[in-house]
Amino acid sequence: GRKWAAEQINELSKGLTKPTGEILDGYNKVLRRLQPFEKVVADLTIKARELSGYGSLAETLAAVKELRKNSLAICKAAAQAGKNADTRKQAEK
């Protein structure tokens, strides 16, 4: 019913946003802990991608963060709609 639909959407939300959040957190942690040689290689790789037209790492991470935020908002709205639905059929849409 309605509760089931809301729970399914909440699980979907967690499945989408949790890994994305971990990726965002991971980039900063990994880049800080690199050895000097690894840091140079990472910086060169990031710079090469930027020069190839992929945008900067900061822009890419900001876009991923925005995607995560939008996904969470959509899932929350859908879960709320499912929870407030009048019928089971409406909740499962």
Side-chain angles (χ1 to χ4, degrees):
R2 293 177 295 186
K3 183 178 177 183
W4 179 83
E7 288 173 356
Q8 292 296 324
I9 292 171
N10 281 332
E11 288 302 314
L12 174 65
S13 173
K14 288 178 190 174
L16 290 172
T17 59
K18 185 177 179 187
T20 311
E22 290 171 354
I23 289 168
L24 290 169
D25 292 342
Y27 267 97
N28 293 328
K29 290 177 184 175
V30 168
L31 290 175
R32 278 195 309 263
R33 290 190 221 155
L34 292 177
Q35 299 296 322
F37 175 75
E38 294 169 328
K39 178 127 178 79
V40 169
V41 172
D43 289 341
L44 288 172
T45 303
I46 291 167
K47 190 66 172 174
R49 289 184 55 81
E50 188 175 332
L51 292 174
S52 296
Y54 289 101
S56 70
L57 178 61
E59 291 169 347
T60 303
L61 293 177
V64 171
K65 188 175 185 177
E66 187 66 23
L67 175 66
R68 180 179 185 269
K69 185 174 120 181
N70 291 339
S71 298
L72 185 58
I74 290 168
C75 288
K76 280 185 178 183
Q80 190 64 33
K83 187 177 178 182
N84 294 335
D86 293 330
T87 66
R88 178 182 177 179
K89 206 169 206 176
Q90 286 177 340
E92 291 176 357
K93 284 186 179 183

